[in-house]
Amino acid sequence: MADELTPETPEESEEPIKQRKNGLYPGVSDELAESMKSGWADTELRDLEPIVQAAETAARRAALSARFPGERLVIPAGNLKTRSNDTEYAFRASVEYAYLTGNQTEDGVLVLEPVADGHQATIYLLPRSDRENGEFWLSGQGELWVGRRHSLGEAEQLYGIPASDVRELADRLREATGPVRVVRGHDAGIEAALTDKVTAERDAELRVFLSEARLVKDAFEIGELQKAVDSTVRGFEDVVKVLDRAEATSERYIEGTFFLRARVEGNDVGYGTIAAAGPHACTLHWVRNDGPVRPGDLLLLDAGVETHTYYTADVTRTLPVDGRFTEIQKKIYDAVYDAQEAGIAAVKPGAKYRDFHDAAQRVLTERLVEWGLVEGPVERVLELGLQRRWTLHGTGHMLGMDVHDCAAARVESYVDGTLEPGMVLTVEPGLYFQADDLTVPEEYRGIGVRIEDDILVTEDGNRNLSAALPRQSDEVESWMASLTN
Ligand SMILES: [Mn+2]
């Protein structure tokens, strides 16, 4: 049996041979190696237009520079992560790096070097593959295998930042003197080069600053979030149109249908789609999506398209699979809708961040008391938090390049903070009656409802970016009928 475990020889592998032996690659004749060096056209791109958000990324770097004068700041994109053996997960650059550069390349690093009047930014990237040494076809990172990269000169034009070879960066950082901060958790190699120069506390301050900088979105970001929402609306329409096929298969058909829209119009989904039919709706992060879709049940679909620039929508609709709410479903749905209306109304500049949560929780609690599921008065239930057996989660969160954006912001500037124009947040109350909850009448059990929209705080109130998707129960039914008839 041991014979079957004999590893394949390099000649049998389609992996390029990475180990040089006496200057030669095994299995590569000198003549082939010589042939591969030449006969390639110059494909350098000239006069490239800068990326559309170049002015915004420059302004973000200027704000960062002003916050940490005289300090070297290191913001890595991160590296590929192995999925298994020689396959990797799809790469997504760190939010901090993408926010400050607009670039999304693996192994990239932005460095702000302190100079007399602020900082000099440099973007460190892997340059184009060398043809002379065979790297482009013999290395696993060679362009023949992974595709053409931008040259450093092209990157400078696109991102408006001088570009340099990232393979020299670790040595430069090791030799550098003066105070340094790095965004941790993305690039172990870069962190290793800085290990005796940085402290966890100072690095955390850099992370916090970059998280809080994203609390208020600029015009470009708001445009991207609207694009993400618009694609998401189309994705929800796609799902409604194929509910009959989901009934014949499983929740996976819904997940796959939405994913098609996300990949065609955007970069990806912004988070794992929750396609939860029937009692699965009561599992908040149901992403297995392998259950049946049955007429008479509700489908809770929580999904968002992420744009090419990484901004994601986060929208939930709870839909009757066969197009019509039953009486009990409608009763619960309308309570959640009323709670969401109260929550959205509390989103305005100057309001406390907590206000929309409190407003929505109050409405839900009033209904739970009215239905006799928990003993009043409402104030007592709220004080003891007893409604949370069925409301389960907070009513929303900041939205941006992360679905739960600005997560490193301090409590005083986010959860205990005040809403400002340009903030974008979700309002997403829900009610969930677990299938095995013996404290509620049987007719409630297995019903879960959440309604979630993406709300922009404006100068005089708010704008619902996802208003194109019906929420009110009658409108949901007629919208579904219009898509399926
Ligand atoms: Mn959400």
Side-chain angles (χ1 to χ4, degrees), residues 114-362:
V115 291
D117 57 344
H119 287 82
Q120 171 63 54
T122 305
I123 187 170
Y124 287 86
L125 296 165
L126 198 58
R128 295 209 55 204
S129 293
D130 195 316
R131 310 267 169 149
E132 272 298 311
N133 67 10
E135 180 205 341
F136 93 102
W137 66 294
L138 292 168
S139 155
Q141 278 194 309
E143 288 180 316
L144 187 88
W145 294 88
V146 301
R148 188 191 190 282
R149 286 187 282 273
H150 283 300
S151 71
L152 297 181
E154 290 166 357
E156 276 188 38
Q157 296 174 62
L158 288 168
Y159 304 106
I161 310 171
S164 202
D165 188 337
V166 72
R167 291 171 298 190
E168 293 156 17
L169 178 60
D171 284 343
R172 282 193 206 177
L173 292 176
R174 259 183 230 104
E175 290 158 14
T177 56
V180 189
R181 299 182 197 246
V182 62
V183 177
R184 295 190 179 197
H186 303 309
D187 192 322
I190 293 297
E191 286 178 43
L194 292 168
T195 186
D196 50 2
K197 294 185 168 67
V198 295
T199 69
E201 193 185 356
R202 285 163 40 78
D203 289 351
E205 288 169 357
L206 173 59
R207 177 185 295 280
V208 167
F209 175 82
L210 289 171
S211 205
E212 294 185 356
R214 305 202 314 273
L215 281 166
V216 173
K217 271 64 182 176
D218 59 38
F220 171 80
E221 295 182 287
I222 292 166
E224 288 298 295
L225 284 164
Q226 184 66 67
K227 266 194 232 170
V229 167
D230 292 346
S231 287
T232 299
V233 168
R234 289 188 280 275
F236 274 68
E237 290 168 354
D238 296 340
V239 166
V240 169
K241 288 176 188 168
V242 299
L243 276 177
D244 55 337
R245 283 188 242 174
E247 284 177 45
T249 53
S250 80
E251 296 161 339
R252 290 283 167 97
Y253 206 96
I254 292 159
E255 178 191 333
T257 299
F258 189 83
F259 185 61
L260 178 63
R261 181 66 69 171
R263 285 294 278 175
V264 168
E265 294 192 3
N267 180 53
D268 203 335
V269 287
Y271 54 95
T273 295
I274 299 169
H280 290 156
C282 301
T283 302
L284 294 182
H285 290 169
W286 178 258
V287 290
R288 286 180 229 159
N289 300 340
D290 57 357
V293 179
R294 298 191 180 97
D297 279 350
L298 294 176
L299 166 69
L300 186 155
L301 177 59
D302 183 342
V305 173
E306 175 185 89
T307 64
H308 295 292
T309 57
Y310 287 174
Y311 289 86
T312 189
D314 181 9
V315 174
T316 306
R317 287 294 180 268
T318 306
L319 310 170
V321 170
D322 56 18
R324 297 293 295 237
F325 290 99
T326 66
E327 203 176 319
I328 181 72
Q329 287 167 353
K330 187 169 151 55
K331 175 170 126 173
I332 297 166
Y333 185 94
D334 288 348
V336 174
Y337 173 80
D338 290 347
Q340 198 203 20
E341 282 285 280
I344 292 173
V347 174
K348 53 193 167 194
K352 302 301 287 178
Y353 174 81
R354 287 182 192 276
D355 288 352
F356 75 93
H357 172 70
D358 292 344
Q361 287 286 304
R362 175 169 293 276

Side-chain angles (χ1 to χ4, degrees), residues 314 397 426 428 452:
D314 181 9
H397 51 82
T426 68
E428 50 173 316
E452 175 175 31

